[in-house]
Amino acid sequence: MNNSILFLCTGNYYRSRYAEIFFNLLAAKKQLNWSADSRGLEASAGRNVGPISTFALERLNHQGISLSEPNRFPLQLEEKDLQEAGLIIAVNRVEHQPMMEKQFPAWAERVTYWDVADLNVTDSESALASIEKSIHLLIEFAQIKP
């Protein structure tokens, strides 16, 4: 199995980007042979302002985590991204499963769906804390090991 995780959200700007960065930092700290990437189901819609959400950056900064590389802009999900991933996680079932069923129907049932809502439903602190908790549980219980 490919030791890579692909995190999905709508814009690849806030939740999936935070999950990617947080997972990769934790994996490096724990010396895991896993890496994460992220994509958006509607990243090309032009709704994002800049490369990454200020909420994600503020949370990382609050935890003493600074990004050493320039922040890339959001990336649109393509089938090749799904094919290359060992594990695919969409951060919100209600929001993302219908998008997957429409855009990538053959892949919709292969995705693990979490329940982390966007800013129109929950505040960033709760959402990002939920992502952190889910990643810790993923590493602990899903046998993601070195």
Side-chain angles (χ1 to χ4, degrees):
M1 180 170 150
N2 181 354
N3 288 355
S4 67
I5 298 176
L6 180 64
F7 289 104
L8 305 175
C9 73
T10 303
N12 192 222
Y13 178 69
Y14 165 51
R15 294 168 293 169
S16 64
R17 289 294 292 287
Y18 185 79
E20 171 193 354
I21 294 165
F22 187 80
F23 180 90
N24 284 333
L25 290 167
L26 195 58
K29 183 178 180 182
K30 293 180 172 283
Q31 298 180 331
L32 303 177
N33 187 26
W34 281 76
S35 64
D37 207 344
S38 64
R39 298 290 185 271
L41 289 156
E42 292 182 357
S44 60
R47 291 186 289 234
N48 301 324
V49 179
I52 188 169
S53 165
T54 57
F55 294 111
L57 291 174
E58 286 170 5
R59 179 101 179 169
L60 291 166
N61 187 48
H62 178 71
Q63 294 179 9
I65 300 168
S66 61
L67 301 179
S68 58
E69 58 188 62
N71 294 322
R72 67 162 173 82
F73 278 80
L75 297 172
Q76 179 65 37
L77 178 64
E78 298 177 9
E79 181 135 9
K80 69 176 179 65
D81 302 317
L82 298 166
Q83 293 167 347
E84 294 170 359
L87 176 62
I88 305 162
I89 299 172
V91 297
N92 187 269
R93 176 182 298 278
V94 171
E95 186 179 352
H96 301 126
Q97 188 169 11
M99 293 172 149
M100 284 298 298
E101 289 170 353
K102 181 179 179 185
Q103 296 177 37
F104 302 98
W107 290 90
E109 293 302 317
R110 300 183 203 183
V111 174
T112 298
Y113 295 94
W114 288 351
D115 294 309
V116 181
D118 207 346
L119 292 168
N120 63 331
V121 177
T122 192
D123 63 279
S124 65
E125 186 173 326
S126 298
L128 298 177
S130 180
I131 287 172
E132 292 166 9
K133 180 179 179 182
S134 295
I135 288 172
H136 280 289
L137 291 172
L138 178 71
I139 289 171
E140 183 176 347
F141 293 110
Q143 306 304 320
I144 293 180
K145 305 293 179 201

